[in-house]
């Protein structure tokens, strides 16, 4: 009798341990958390392959006929701004928030941002600091002739609703596009733009955007933190340059261009992007009236 009881206890213990191991194994099983997809585009203009991080909103797969606005993000690598900006887009499109439309986000991963986001340097000082600079014309051509057509061909896009987001040198490039190829986007989010480049050359232009006959509806957000002097030219203050850009656009003659200026004194060049883009979405997409 004692032997039978002992055998029963051992059997129960073994069964219990086996069950615990199975439960532990089940608990440890994982699945990947997928935020988006990675695509590659072979650029004949840039003579290189470029990686794209692409976020598709929840409604993309639910409705196979709906078309979506596209947000193009400079500095769009996974270890740069892609995850943060996708989070802001996703949050603002929650049904109980409903502040902006569900949108595709295209993060353009960097290869050499100092090359791609700048025009040719005009001073020896800049050439020494940024020897690869000067590729913005090619990069803008890549966006216009290769990237946007690629996205339109492969995804269901609302081709008339395109936003670009750029910060720092990315803000410089976004401003160059605004001044030279304004039709590429209808919304511009320009954060802490490096307008000191080439001693403020963009601020000296008089683009078509300012003319009375410019009729393309364009919304512009310009945000800047408390940042101080530029890293190269001591006659340029980041906040002042951003304000000059705002005034230049604001007092243009076009009635189809609307611009917002946002000063964030609690932020600096390193921290300004997220709060600025959050504010930009709120200003570019005003609260809906009930």
């Amino acid at each position: 009798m004692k032997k039978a009881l002992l055998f029963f206890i051992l059997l129960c213990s073994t069964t219990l341990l086996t069950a615990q191991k199975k439960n532990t194994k089940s608990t440890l099983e994982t699945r990947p958390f997928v935020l988006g997809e990675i695509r590659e585009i072979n650029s004949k203009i840039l003579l290189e392959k470029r990686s794209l991080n692409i976020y598709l909103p929840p409604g993309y797969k639910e409705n196979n006929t709906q078309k979506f606005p596209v947000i193009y993000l400079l500095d769009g690598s996974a270890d740069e701004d892609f995850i943060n900006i996708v989070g802001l887009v996703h949050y603002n499109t929650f049904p109980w928030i409903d502040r902006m439309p569900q949108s595709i986000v295209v993060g353009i991963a960097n290869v050499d941002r100092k090359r791609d986001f700048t025009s040719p340097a005009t001073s020896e000082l800049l050439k020494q600091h940024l020897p690869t600079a000067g590729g913005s014309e090619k990069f803008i051509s890549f966006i216009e002739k290769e990237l946007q057509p690629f996205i339109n061909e492969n995804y269901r896009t609302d081709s008339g609703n395109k936003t670009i987001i750029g910060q720092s040198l990315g803000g410089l490039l976004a401003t160059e596009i605004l001044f030279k190829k304004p039709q590429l986007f209808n919304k511009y989010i320009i954060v802490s733009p490096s307008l000191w480049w080439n001693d403020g050359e963009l601020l000296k232009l008089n683009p078509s955007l300012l003319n009375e006959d410019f009729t393309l509806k364009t919304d512009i957000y310009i945000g800047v933190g408390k940042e101080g002097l530029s890293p190269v030219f001591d006659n340029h203050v980041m906040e002042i340059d951003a304000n000059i850009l705002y005034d230049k656009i604001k007092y243009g003659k076009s009635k189809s261009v609307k611009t917002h200026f946002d000063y964030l004194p609690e932020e600096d060049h390193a921290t300004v992007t997220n709060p600025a883009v959050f504010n930009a979405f709120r200003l570019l997409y005003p609260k809906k009236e009930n």
Side-chain angles (χ1 to χ4, degrees), residues 30-49:
T30 61
R31 291 181 294 124
F33 180 84
V34 179
L35 185 64
E37 58 190 41
I38 300 173
R39 300 288 295 267
E40 277 195 342
I41 179 171
N42 191 15
S43 172
K44 295 179 180 178
I45 294 171
L46 300 176
L47 300 177
E48 62 191 11
K49 286 185 178 181

Side-chain angles (χ1 to χ4, degrees), residues 6 76 129 131 180 183 191 197 227 229 237 246 251 259 266:
L6 180 60
H129 277 77
K180 297 180 180 180
Q183 74 280 3
V191 181
W197 182 258
E227 305 181 37
L229 291 175
V237 178
Y246 167 70
Y251 294 110
T259 184
E266 298 300 316

Side-chain angles (χ1 to χ4, degrees), residues 191-202:
V191 181
S192 298
S194 298
L195 297 168
W196 49 264
W197 182 258
N198 282 340
D199 198 17
E201 68 176 359
L202 286 179

Side-chain angles (χ1 to χ4, degrees), residues 242-255:
N243 217 320
I244 292 172
L245 175 64
Y246 167 70
D247 284 344
K248 190 177 188 74
I249 299 168
K250 179 182 177 182
Y251 294 110
K253 296 180 180 180
S254 174
K255 295 180 180 179

Side-chain angles (χ1 to χ4, degrees), residues 182 208-216 218 254-257:
S208 63
L209 179 84
L210 307 181
N211 298 337
E212 191 173 2
D213 60 358
F214 184 87
T215 58
L216 180 66
T218 307
S254 174
K255 295 180 180 179
S256 64
V257 177

